Amino acid sequence: MSESMPPDPGYFLDNLRTTDPEVYEALAGELERQQDGIELIASENMVSQASLEALGSIIVNKTVEGRPGGRYYGGAEFADRIESLAIERAKALFGCGFANVQPHSGSQANQAVFLAVLKPGDTVLSMALDAGGHLSHGAAPNLTGKWFNPVRYGIDGDGFIDMDAVERLAREHRPKLIICGGSAYPRAIDFAHFRQIADSVGAVLLADMAHFAGLVAGGVHPTPLPHAHVTTATTYKNLRGARGGIILTDDPALARKLDSAVFPGVQGSVILNAVAAKAVCLGEALKPSFKVYAAQVLTNARVLAGALMARGITVVSGGTDTPLLVADLRPFGLTGAEASDSLEAAGLTCNKNTVPGDTQPPAVTSGLRFGSAAGTTRGFRETEFRHIGGWIADVLHAMAASGARDETVERIVCAEVRALCRSFPIYPGLDADAPAGAEMNRAAGS
Ligand SMILES: *Cc1c(COP(=O)(O)O)cnc(C)c1O
């Protein structure tokens, strides 16, 4: 070929708004949604501008496989530096000897643990989904439920883990892996007791701290690390970083198995921009200000639980030790699906959630799950969370009284929510070089 392809002069220069207005507009809409609504989904948070920069950085271009210092491709000097920073920070933050920061998600972190310590068909003892467990702990439609033999424990009538049942099921079924930690379990877990049970049957104990890793990092929640053989977490919930997972352990032999379970076991190349952002969030979590944030997340969750209970709403287990809480709507005769739709219309985003003993299907449910992390990140404290509890109660009581969504109440609450959110601004416009985008976002409220 004699003719070379002419370089596209805009390729390295033009911004998204210019080159792809459709995607740009959707992102601008999402920014406005995040700015003007209150985010109460417990698995969400708002990352720092620094994390956003790392996520959108040129390290996305680099492909590496393997671990720092042992890559299969060249040119990995800076990739190694970035991943090593993330690993060292994870170890320092959680006080452990080994960290793998490559899992693309919490589910893949858990998959790697299954691959490292189990054979197909082995028995796993974990928390039932309707008690607050996670899909990746052996739920029927998940790979972990299809290829392994899950046995489930639940919670007692007061909403706490039934440790007698855990002990009995462990003795009866001799699991190879026991998992503690869930997606909708609001209480502190007795990790030492779990370890004792695991040891008594020769099982590996996995603590999945996805929903309290930020509180552990901030020193306001017991740490599972000294008790569990292996601990997994997501980095994007209350830990407040980029989407992804991490795996932590103190056991060198297990660490080697876990590393090869991540790669080449369940993953290929590393998503290095996510790893760079994990390094940034772990660095943020090592700063003293993170302790203040973590303590406020916990306080806010407790204030919200108290505000709901004060208005007659049942909170599973009567409170929380984590950033999340679950409301049981059965006494109101409401489903989680209709209640979450009405709250969303009122500017309060949360998710429907099964409650213990729920007879509604998973797409309907009888509960709602709320989390305090995202609101805390934008600056909400006790006063704001008391208001939020009052608004949730207004919407639910109105619905329960009329048997249908009350659009008047939704409209009134939505206006109040929006007014509060205006006093707690989040990111500026999408693109610093695109004043029209920034204006679009600000104009929407003025
Ligand atoms: C959120 C969560 C995960 C991981 O979720 P991904 O969506 O796969 O990142 C794993 N375990 C628990 C307990 C969780 O709550």
Side-chain angles (χ1 to χ4, degrees):
M1 285 223 322
S2 55
E3 255 177 298
S4 64
M5 191 179 78
D8 172 355
Y11 187 81
F12 291 112
L13 294 175
D14 292 345
N15 62 26
L16 181 64
R17 189 173 58 122
T18 316
T19 61
D20 195 333
E22 286 169 289
V23 171
Y24 181 85
E25 295 288 327
L27 288 171
E30 172 62 14
L31 175 60
E32 203 178 303
R33 191 192 68 82
Q34 293 184 14
Q35 168 59 49
D36 285 345
I38 294 179
E39 187 53 73
L40 295 165
I41 294 179
S43 43
E44 292 191 24
N45 211 328
M46 294 176 179
V47 302
S48 64
Q49 181 60 34
S51 284
L52 282 182
E53 263 176 51
L55 271 174
S57 67
I58 46 72
I59 197 70
V60 73
N61 294 335
K62 183 66 196 139
T63 300
V64 293
E65 290 172 337
R67 299 270 295 173
R71 305 293 194 188
Y72 294 80
Y73 301 134
E77 178 188 353
F78 299 103
D80 281 7
R81 204 186 289 178
I82 286 166
E83 188 173 344
S84 299
L85 278 169
I87 291 169
E88 292 311 315
R89 289 174 183 179
K91 284 158 56 179
L93 185 62
F94 294 109
C96 59
F98 301 91
N100 189 307
V101 297
Q102 292 182 1
H104 302 333
S105 69
S107 295
Q108 274 179 297
N110 289 338
Q111 264 178 35
V113 176
F114 275 65
L115 184 63
V117 305
L118 300 176
K119 300 252 176 306
D122 278 352
T123 298
V124 178
L125 178 58
S126 62
M127 181 180 258
L129 212 53
D130 73 346
H134 189 257
L135 284 163
S136 64
H137 295 181
N142 192 269
L143 175 156
T144 54
K146 290 190 175 182
W147 293 354
F148 300 89
N149 173 38
V151 175
R152 323 310 299 275
Y153 59 83
I155 55 183
D156 63 22
D158 294 329
F160 290 78
I161 294 175
D162 185 346
M163 292 306 291
D164 291 340
V166 176
E167 207 158 349
R168 182 170 42 74
L169 290 166
R171 263 203 310 274
E172 195 178 319
H173 297 277
R174 316 291 298 184
K176 290 269 185 337
L177 178 69
I178 299 180
I179 308 177
C180 60
S183 290
Y185 184 69
R187 289 303 186 169
I189 294 165
D190 188 346
F191 303 117
H193 195 177
F194 263 100
R195 176 58 184 261
Q196 189 196 322
I197 294 170
D199 284 347
S200 75
V201 296
V204 170
L205 177 62
L206 162 63
D208 180 345
M209 61 173 181
H211 271 286
F212 52 89
L215 299 197
V216 171
V220 293
H221 190 92
T223 173
L225 271 93
H227 306 288
H229 295 94
V230 51
T231 300
T232 55
T234 52
T235 43
Y236 61 90
K237 293 171 183 169
N238 44 85
L239 196 50
R240 200 162 66 167
R243 192 158 297 281
I246 48 173
I247 307 178
L248 310 165
T249 185
D250 256 331
D251 177 337
L254 185 54
R256 271 195 303 278
K257 283 191 202 168
L258 290 163
D259 283 346
S260 32
V262 172
F263 173 84
V266 296
Q267 290 188 178
S269 60
V270 184
I271 302 182
L272 278 168
N273 55 319
V275 169
K278 285 178 198 175
V280 170
C281 106
L282 293 163
E284 288 168 356
L286 282 162
K287 293 184 180 144
S289 57
F290 193 85
K291 285 193 166 35
V292 179
Y293 150 81
Q296 193 67 49
V297 168
L298 181 57
T299 300
N300 286 345
R302 287 179 165 158
V303 165
L304 180 57
L308 295 178
M309 291 188 291
R311 295 281 303 274
I313 296 165
T314 305
V315 171
V316 176
S317 87
T320 181
D321 304 316
T322 69
L324 72 85
L325 51 128
V326 178
D328 186 343
L329 303 176
R330 286 174 296 194
F332 278 50
L334 297 174
T335 67
E338 59 189 348
S340 62
D341 283 349
S342 185
L343 287 169
E344 182 165 358
L348 299 153
T349 314
C350 65
N351 62 277
K352 57 182 180 254
N353 212 97
T354 50
V355 290
D358 211 327
T359 51
Q360 296 283 1
V364 181
T365 80
S366 302
L368 292 171
R369 186 183 67 160
F370 301 105
S372 61
T376 306
T377 295
R378 76 187 294 176
F380 295 168
R381 295 167 60 93
E382 289 91 323
T383 310
E384 289 75 31
F385 270 91
R386 251 177 241 116
H387 282 304
I388 292 169
W391 290 325
I392 292 169
D394 288 346
V395 170
L396 296 183
H397 277 292
M399 248 183 127
S402 67
R405 278 174 59 169
D406 188 326
E407 282 173 25
T408 309
V409 171
E410 285 174 3
R411 252 197 314 277
I412 293 168
V413 170
C414 192
E416 290 175 341
V417 163
R418 182 176 270 244
L420 176 72
C421 288
R422 284 297 149 82
S423 318
F424 291 86
I426 56 170
Y427 314 96
L430 266 184
D431 184 342
D433 299 327
E439 266 163 32
M440 177 170 61
N441 294 307
R442 277 187 215 107
S446 49

